[in-house]
Amino acid sequence: ERTLLVHGFAKAYAMTGFRLGYLASPQQPIIAAALKLQSQVNSCASSVSQHAGIAALREVPEEMLAPLYKGLKDKRNAIVSALREIPHVVCPIPKGAFYVFPDVSHFLGKNAKSAKSGRVVNTSTDLCNYLIEEHGLALPPGDAFGGPTGVRFSYATSMEDIQRAVERFRAGLEDLEIDE
């Protein structure tokens, strides 16, 4: 009677981008309140997402998911380890996402400048703009997620792409000249 089940498909079935989940509860007032909130936040999941979710629930046996979960854990551990090898980068281990969010505060707010262009890097947005323009690495800045001293890496990709991204990140940070 006092149980709420909240579930999403992105992580459980590797359905990122579908924006699909569900809530189940025997408590009608809770369901009514959730529906009221949901109706004001978004309209509805697309029919494609709904059918994909149904197929995942009905047709994907749990044993098929174990290798997916292991692969994601291996990629998570690899990117965390590689980022932690970069001096002054602090990278916590995420507990349930396809993303790591390393802290790059050492490189921000110190009039860091690109050795090539002289571009000033004071915020995570500045850092991400610098990385894409001068090192070919696209990362969302932490500012967009309420974490102004971080950047976000996705590890829902190949191990090769992860290695290439970390190499470009390292090169970009090493090319910064910092006033200390």
Side-chain angles (χ1 to χ4, degrees):
E1 260 185 57
R2 297 179 54 187
T3 300
L4 289 176
L5 174 63
V6 180
H7 191 58
F9 289 82
K11 292 164 188 66
Y13 293 96
M15 294 173 60
T16 57
F18 281 80
R19 305 293 185 244
L20 186 66
Y22 59 88
L23 167 69
S25 172
Q27 297 293 324
Q28 187 55 36
I30 291 172
I31 296 295
L35 285 170
K36 186 183 289 186
L37 176 65
Q38 185 272 336
S39 71
Q40 300 303 311
V41 175
N42 60 8
S43 56
C44 66
S46 72
S47 60
V48 171
S49 294
Q50 292 178 44
H51 286 286
I54 291 167
L57 289 172
R58 288 184 178 164
E59 299 175 26
V60 178
E62 288 294 317
E63 60 271 9
M64 280 185 69
L65 298 174
L68 170 71
Y69 298 156
K70 182 187 181 316
L72 286 170
K73 186 176 182 180
D74 291 346
K75 290 175 185 179
R76 180 202 66 194
N77 292 343
I79 195 168
V80 167
S81 176
L83 289 169
R84 286 179 171 178
E85 290 177 9
I86 300 172
H88 309 293
V89 173
V90 177
C91 188
I93 297 173
K95 302 269 190 249
F98 296 128
Y99 309 101
V100 292
F101 202 78
D103 183 295
V104 293
S105 56
H106 175 81
F107 303 92
L108 307 177
K110 298 180 179 177
N111 292 318
K113 293 181 188 151
S114 163
K116 293 181 200 171
S117 67
R119 171 192 208 115
V120 175
V121 174
N122 280 318
T123 67
S124 65
T125 298
D126 293 340
L127 178 63
C128 290
N129 287 333
Y130 155 74
L131 288 169
I132 185 101
E133 291 176 16
E134 297 192 29
H135 291 275
L137 177 63
L139 295 175
D143 300 329
F145 305 97
T149 62
V151 296
R152 190 174 87 163
F153 282 82
S154 170
Y155 57 87
T157 187
S158 70
M159 206 62 102
E160 295 78 21
D161 285 346
I162 291 169
Q163 291 167 346
R164 188 169 31 255
V166 172
E167 288 167 10
R168 290 179 184 187
F169 187 62
R170 176 189 291 274
L173 295 178
E174 286 174 353
D175 286 349
L176 288 175
E177 298 170 347
I178 299 175
D179 293 340
E180 298 213 46

